[in-house]
Amino acid sequence: MRELEERYLAYINEKIAEHDNLHKQYKADDRKDEANLEKIKINIYEIFKTLFINDIKQLQGKNLENIKDINMYGGYLLRFDTIPVNWKKSLSMAKEHGDIVKQVIEECKLAVANELKEKFLEMFNELGREIND
Amino acid sequence: MTEDKAIKLFKCLSDKSRLQILKSLVNEDMYVELLAQRLGLTPSTISFHLKKLEDAGAVTSRKEQYYNIYSINEDIFKSTILDIIKEESPEADLQKQREEEYRRRVIENFFEYGKLKNIPSQRKKRLIVLNEIAKAFEPGREYTEREVNLIIADFHDDFCTIRREMVCEGILTRENSIYRLVEN
């Protein structure tokens, strides 16, 4: 499962680079607010990257080559429930008060968190299949 | 147009996507999805920009069936930049504007959707916050302590501290457990 960790971190790094490019492009194009939205997305990728690195440190020293149990990563997966709680609250308040600017920002953050969770599960299942084959 | 409004408008216009939106609206009134299609942006990005343009007074919106239709606010664009520069504000007005701007910022930072996020520790800011809460009280009316607590609890859970502060700062008076708003 070290491969999973490497692949997942590579994916996050790719996304950070991709959004960093967009941020620079928008900034150069005088689209400051859209550039800021890209920066917000980068921050969320960075947060989950740091948490992931921290969480997998706990697994160091264990032989994970043949472990196929998703619960090994339960701590990290739980982050996708705990971290966005306030974003969800904030989004619902923004919707209630017609605060479109805040709504877009919160939706951006939640979309990144959701994407990272889906990607992690997808990679985990893919690698599990490869091991079984 | 006041200086504040002019600055807000200029800041708002210094964005390529927003200028593209305005260019489209000059030709015809449009709704979010149509603008998104024409400009190749997502509807949420368009809504984001339209909200900023609306707040700066550059566009107006009206509801038509299921859609919010946006139009350019021609009046605001008819004044020339020279008109805006030439406009003079007396020093007293400027001072008042600065104070009002400071008050607005404090309220914006400490309140979210009408709820007080936390009680400011700095007295100047705390006074602004307390005076904002005082707007919920009717002048001349008598309130019991329970009624005062209920009103303040709509803003913040720590109604005891806020109630005491309002009395200490002379915003409310308390006599025989009856509270009244002090009128200025």
Side-chain angles (χ1 to χ4, degrees), chain B:
Chain B
M1 188 186 294
T2 62
E3 259 179 39
D4 279 355
K5 280 186 184 164
I7 290 167
K8 196 171 181 185
L9 179 66
F10 291 144
K11 272 188 185 171
C12 187
L13 296 181
S14 64
D15 183 285
K16 193 173 182 180
S17 298
R18 286 200 277 271
L19 274 183
Q20 296 295 334
I21 291 173
L22 290 173
K23 279 182 185 176
S24 298
L25 293 179
V26 162
N27 297 324
E28 55 178 319
D29 296 354
M30 284 190 204
Y31 53 94
V32 172
E33 286 74 10
L34 189 56
L35 277 164
Q37 209 177 28
R38 295 232 178 133
L39 300 177
L41 296 169
T42 63
S44 64
T45 305
I46 294 286
S47 299
F48 179 96
H49 288 307
L50 282 169
K51 172 77 178 152
K52 291 208 164 187
L53 285 165
E54 204 172 9
D55 286 348
V59 303
T60 56
S61 67
R62 63 180 191 278
K63 204 144 180 96
E64 265 182 30
Q65 288 175 334
Y66 302 110
Y67 296 104
N68 270 329
I69 308 285
Y70 289 85
S71 334
I72 200 155
N73 183 1
E74 286 188 15
D75 288 345
I76 217 157
F77 292 104
K78 275 179 187 160
S79 46
T80 66
I81 293 176
L82 202 60
D83 291 336
I84 296 167
I85 296 169
K86 276 181 182 169
E87 199 167 312
E88 281 182 25
S89 311
E91 190 50 38
D93 283 358
L94 281 176
Q95 183 60 27
K96 213 173 158 190
Q97 265 180 37
R98 275 186 218 119
E99 277 168 20
E100 184 49 38
E101 177 61 15
Y102 178 75
R103 202 188 68 83
R104 196 187 58 76
R105 275 197 207 146
V106 171
I107 289 170
E108 218 174 78
N109 288 338
F110 283 91
F111 286 90
E112 190 175 49
Y113 309 128
K115 293 269 179 202
L116 180 63
K117 291 194 273 186
N118 48 59
I119 304 169
S121 49
Q122 204 182 317
R123 184 168 176 256
K124 192 177 172 188
K125 290 179 181 170
R126 201 164 56 241
L127 266 174
I128 292 172
V129 162
L130 295 176
N131 277 308
E132 187 62 20
I133 294 174
K135 287 181 184 167
F137 290 85
E138 286 173 36
R141 202 187 130 179
E142 293 183 345
Y143 293 89
T144 62
E145 190 162 292
R146 191 173 174 273
E147 284 174 322
V148 172
N149 290 346
L150 281 173
I151 290 173
I152 299 173
D154 275 347
F155 296 93
H156 197 270
D157 292 341
D158 191 358
F159 48 80
C160 290
T161 306
I162 295 175
R163 189 193 66 231
R164 278 196 294 268
E165 287 276 336
M166 288 177 95
V167 174
C168 285
E169 294 292 355
I171 296 168
L172 293 178
T173 57
R174 188 179 118 162
E175 226 179 289
N176 301 325
S177 300
I178 293 295
Y179 293 79
R180 278 188 199 87
L181 182 70
V182 175
E183 291 176 59
N184 296 316

Side-chain angles (χ1 to χ4, degrees), chain A residues 37-90:
Chain A
L37 285 176
E38 294 307 318
K39 201 81 196 162
I40 289 168
K41 288 179 198 167
I42 293 170
N43 284 341
I44 306 302
Y45 284 113
E46 297 274 13
I47 289 171
F48 280 99
K49 182 183 162 182
T50 310
L51 292 171
F52 185 64
I53 291 172
N54 193 49
D55 287 344
I56 58 174
K57 268 186 195 160
Q58 321 285 329
L59 303 176
Q60 256 165 21
K62 292 180 184 170
N63 179 13
L64 303 176
E65 289 312 312
N66 292 316
I67 290 173
K68 286 166 252 169
D69 186 0
I70 191 77
N71 291 327
M72 288 297 294
Y73 297 98
Y76 179 62
L77 286 170
L78 198 65
R79 307 276 194 189
F80 293 106
D81 294 329
T82 53
I83 305 281
V85 165
N86 285 333
W87 305 341
K88 283 180 186 164
K89 264 188 208 165
S90 195

